[in-house]
Amino acid sequence: MKTMRTPLKKVRYLGSAKEGTDHFWKQRVTAVANVFLGLFLVWLIASLIGADYGTVRQKLAHPLIALALLALILSATIHMRLGMQTIIEDYVHAEGPKLAALMLNTFFAIFIALSSVFAVLKLSFGA
């Protein structure tokens, strides 16, 4: 059976990385989760308009509120990293800068997630 690959592609063994569907589904699932968690965040902010500092701290310290905020942080940062990864892979063509940008993208997402999780946990545990 004749293949559709060019001789250079056969030599370099370039082809599908078999990760396209995984990336696609992660991006879609996090997008749907972000819709619901974003609506929750809007409701939370609207319910706290005009509240004093103590009330806000008390509300954010509730375990269900904290868990929902942590889920939003996780979902949003994963979605952000996947979206930027797609943009970097599509528009940065040189391998060195592409690798550097992908690494910086991952480190940035981790930094944002850890900082945000720390803030929610600090509020939740009353520190």
Side-chain angles (χ1 to χ4, degrees):
M1 177 175 232
K2 189 165 175 108
T3 65
M4 298 297 288
R5 290 182 182 220
T6 64
L8 182 59
K9 235 181 181 179
K10 286 180 187 176
V11 170
R12 290 188 177 166
Y13 202 67
L14 298 175
S16 171
K18 307 284 192 249
E19 292 185 15
T21 52
D22 181 54
H23 184 101
F24 174 87
W25 279 108
K26 281 181 185 174
Q27 200 164 23
R28 289 343 179 251
V29 169
T30 56
V32 171
N34 288 342
V35 168
F36 294 110
L37 293 168
L39 289 173
F40 162 77
L41 183 63
V42 169
W43 167 82
L44 179 65
I45 292 170
S47 70
L48 293 173
I49 291 176
D52 63 344
Y53 179 73
T55 305
V56 173
R57 282 192 66 181
Q58 182 181 9
K59 185 109 171 182
L60 294 179
H62 191 277
L64 292 177
I65 301 289
L67 285 174
L69 290 174
L70 291 173
L72 175 62
I73 291 165
L74 180 66
S75 179
T77 53
I78 289 171
H79 188 76
M80 174 187 68
R81 189 186 71 77
L82 291 172
M84 282 306 301
Q85 178 182 340
T86 301
I87 291 169
I88 292 167
E89 289 171 349
D90 287 348
Y91 294 107
V92 180
H93 301 294
E95 287 302 314
K98 182 188 295 188
L99 182 61
L102 288 171
M103 288 175 62
L104 286 172
N105 179 44
T106 300
F107 292 145
F108 179 74
I110 290 170
F111 174 76
I112 293 297
L114 287 177
S115 301
S116 302
V117 166
F118 176 75
V120 169
L121 291 178
K122 190 171 179 180
L123 280 170
S124 183
F125 291 125

